[in-house]
Amino acid sequence: MTSPSEGRTANAPVVTGGHTRIRPFNTRDTYPEQNLDNDLCQAVVAGDTVYVRGQIGQDLDTSESVGIGDAEAQAERAMANIKTLLEEAGSRMEHLVKLTIYLTDPRYREAVYRTVGRWTKGVHPISTGLVVSALARPEWLCEIDAIAVIPDSSKEARA
């Protein structure tokens, strides 16, 4: 039996279960120090909804952590990643519906929320903020996941 990731270009979308998986990856590659082997992706398009995996201060193409020690810089990268993934899925930032923001320290809230606010100015998504004890890697200080829609072009033309 072959793996779903065999025989395709890295990061090329795949369709599984009728849904498009954007930037598929395996955790054995992204977390080589851990004994993991999970097929995941950065975003899933299900119908007209886009679900974006929690984004952190990490380059989408190289998996390199950025903004180490700087929650604001990590939030900036996370939001840039969300924008990229939404566009790859056929949506845009203005179609954000919900954000969930995870912080490892409540003192990061103001800087992170200010950054998120710049990216969502005029959009008015709903948002939930949580303070957690840790994220998957110790250098990650915030993580942001998103849900957006892909607009029906006929509805958008009337708006």
Side-chain angles (χ1 to χ4, degrees):
M1 181 172 166
T2 61
S3 160
S5 60
E6 289 179 27
R8 64 174 177 76
T9 306
N11 288 335
V14 296
V15 176
T16 306
H19 307 300
T20 302
R21 316 305 170 140
I22 307 294
R23 292 188 183 235
F25 66 95
N26 187 286
T27 53
R28 74 177 165 268
D29 302 322
T30 55
Y31 301 99
E33 72 283 0
Q34 298 177 13
N35 186 25
L36 299 173
D37 185 15
N38 301 325
D39 288 330
L40 299 175
C41 64
Q42 295 292 342
V44 174
V45 178
D48 66 352
T49 305
V50 182
Y51 300 90
V52 178
R53 178 179 196 262
Q55 296 298 305
I56 38 69
Q58 188 176 52
D59 185 289
L60 278 174
D61 295 319
T62 67
S63 297
E64 180 181 339
S65 289
V66 298
I68 294 174
D70 185 343
E72 185 173 2
Q74 290 182 21
E76 184 72 29
R77 175 51 66 108
M79 292 305 292
N81 289 352
I82 289 169
K83 178 181 187 293
T84 296
L85 293 165
L86 289 179
E87 290 172 353
E88 289 179 16
S91 187
R92 294 187 304 276
M93 293 296 279
E94 66 223 48
H95 300 294
L96 278 171
V97 175
K98 182 175 190 331
L99 296 170
T100 305
I101 302 167
Y102 304 87
L103 303 173
T104 59
D105 189 318
R107 292 172 290 192
Y108 301 145
R109 186 177 188 275
E110 189 174 339
V112 169
Y113 277 59
R114 222 180 12 251
T115 299
V116 170
R118 280 195 319 275
W119 284 88
T120 60
K121 191 74 171 167
V123 177
H124 306 279
I126 60 174
S127 175
T128 299
L130 302 165
V131 177
V132 297
S133 61
L135 296 170
R137 291 191 188 266
E139 68 267 23
W140 295 341
L141 306 176
C142 70
E143 182 168 337
I144 305 167
D145 69 42
I147 300 172
V149 296
I150 298 172
D152 176 344
S153 58
S154 63
K155 285 184 201 171
E156 193 169 84
R158 289 190 300 254

